[in-house]
Amino acid sequence: MRITALAGGIGGARFLRGLLHHLRQVRPDGAGGTTDELTVIVNTGDDIRIHGLNVSPDLDSVMYTLGGGISEERGWGRDGETFTVKDELAAYGMEPTWFGLGDKDTATHLVRSQLLAAGYPLSAVTEALCVRWNPGARLLPMSDDRLETHVVVNDPDRRAIHFQEWWIRHRAQLPAEAFVLVGLDEAQPGPGVLEAITNADVVLLPPSNPVVSIGTILQVPRVRDALRATAAPVVGLSPIVGGAPVRGMADACLTAIGVPTTASAVARHYGPRRTRVPAGGDGGGLLDGWLVDELDADVVAEVEALGIRCVAVPLLMHDVPAAAAMAHAALDLAASVSGDTGGR
């Protein structure tokens, strides 16, 4: 089975680790892997240049998590990390001091920056970095083109700042008016991105931020069209549980685009691929199935009325087995959706 997932950082990475854990249990290849093929299209709108280095936070979070090198406590960066270089830069008064590059993590950014400067595209650089980490999945940047998410903030100056500054320095406390993906006019999908969606047997939208993670990937030209056209069932998992984001500040992002912070509202935001009319018309959206947490079981009928098959299951990733159970439920929902429609 060919599985393609669209993912952001921590939440997406932890779900994918659970997915691989589940697949290794049910379809092992005898060498500690799985007979399934997992491709992950990763958000690069969070990318930023810091101290002359090219930093790809979401790519690294997925790579470190699946490769066993992530800091479990923080959810980002390397385990056993030190911050000597960061402290020394701060002592020199070098800005930005609010972005914490760890010493081990800096090595990754040095390698990436040198390879990019030598002319290699981000997709090739990511493939080279993954040789060390062996994540068990093919990681594809959403684009090889430089894309950066900027936030138009409603402060006295009404200015645009990089997403990382808004998210980390200001903790998303500056009211956001809009999110702008700078560089989008010239951007193209990364190598293999459209094919991974088109040729998949299942497409999953993990519980990543629907605005600045999944939503950013969907802005890349032709990605949304590929999702709507693929023969594979498309199943998403709600990042909202009981009216609040499981992790991070997705509520601030949803508020900025006028979407309520509820599991059903996010499903409506993505929209159904099919309608409930007898002929099964085009719903114009992206989802065939949607998983909500048991706390939100009361919205199942509301989501189903949109034309999206909905099931309530536990969606808190306390540990790897819990994430694996979520992945199992997502694949089961995909199978039931596919069975209902006979594919597309």
Side-chain angles (χ1 to χ4, degrees):
M1 183 165 60
R2 295 163 297 184
I3 303 171
T4 295
L6 280 61
I10 300 172
R14 288 180 171 174
F15 171 79
L16 293 167
R17 181 171 60 183
L19 173 61
L20 284 174
H21 180 80
H22 167 68
L23 293 174
R24 286 165 182 153
Q25 288 183 315
V26 299
R27 284 188 285 273
D29 67 358
T34 169
T35 56
D36 299 286
E37 176 186 302
L38 174 60
T39 300
V40 186
I41 301 166
V42 185
N43 168 47
T44 59
D46 291 7
D47 288 15
I48 188 170
R49 284 185 62 83
I50 296 288
H51 303 303
L53 300 178
N54 294 83
V55 181
S56 295
D58 284 1
L59 277 169
D60 290 343
S61 289
V62 175
M63 182 175 69
Y64 292 156
T65 300
L66 300 187
I70 197 75
S71 167
E72 294 291 344
E73 180 181 358
R74 293 190 305 272
W76 56 268
R78 293 284 307 281
D79 59 336
E81 187 62 280
T82 56
F83 292 88
T84 303
V85 173
K86 176 181 180 293
D87 293 341
E88 285 296 306
L89 287 168
Y92 281 112
M94 292 294 292
E95 294 289 347
T97 57
W98 46 264
F99 196 98
L101 289 181
D103 300 329
K104 292 181 180 180
D105 201 24
T106 296
T108 298
H109 308 319
L110 282 167
V111 173
R112 176 184 293 113
S113 301
Q114 290 181 14
L115 291 175
L116 288 173
Y120 293 97
L122 182 59
S123 53
V125 174
T126 301
E127 184 178 1
L129 290 171
C130 286
V131 170
R132 173 187 177 184
W133 290 101
N134 190 25
R138 182 173 58 143
L139 306 189
L140 301 179
M142 66 184 194
S143 178
D144 275 339
D145 298 304
R146 182 173 178 178
L147 293 166
E148 292 185 359
T149 300
H150 288 206
V151 186
V152 179
V153 296
N154 185 14
D155 66 0
D157 298 326
R158 196 182 183 276
R159 57 203 172 98
I161 60 177
H162 194 287
F163 171 77
Q164 294 292 352
E165 182 177 0
W166 181 74
W167 191 258
I168 298 174
R169 184 180 187 180
H170 297 289
R171 303 297 299 169
Q173 295 303 302
L174 293 178
E177 292 187 355
F179 298 92
V180 180
L181 191 56
V182 178
L184 187 59
D185 290 344
E186 304 297 328
Q188 295 297 324
V193 166
L194 298 180
E195 293 81 358
I197 296 171
T198 300
N199 298 329
D201 296 306
V202 176
V203 177
L204 300 176
L205 306 185
S208 295
N209 191 309
V211 181
V212 293
S213 292
I214 303 294
T216 306
I217 300 172
L218 296 176
Q219 290 185 62
V220 177
R222 294 181 286 159
V223 167
R224 182 182 290 271
D225 291 341
L227 276 169
R228 293 191 58 215
T230 182
V234 180
V235 171
L237 296 92
S238 174
I240 306 300
V241 172
V246 175
R247 186 184 179 97
M249 297 158 282
D251 50 344
C253 300
L254 289 167
T255 297
I257 65 169
V259 176
T261 306
T262 66
S264 57
V266 176
R268 186 182 297 273
H269 170 66
Y270 284 135
R273 287 214 296 172
R274 305 176 182 90
T275 65
R276 286 290 188 186
V277 298
D282 188 346
L286 302 174
L287 293 176
D288 297 306
W290 186 240
L291 290 182
V292 300
D293 188 79
E294 292 175 321
L295 288 175
D296 298 307
D298 59 336
V299 308
V300 168
E302 177 184 350
V303 175
E304 294 246 338
L306 297 173
I308 303 169
R309 174 70 68 85
C310 187
V311 176
V313 299
L315 288 186
L316 294 180
M317 293 182 284
H318 300 294
D319 50 28
V320 174
M326 289 169 54
H328 187 183
L331 293 177
D332 279 352
L333 181 54
S336 70
V337 168
S338 183
D340 282 350
T341 63
R344 279 176 67 95

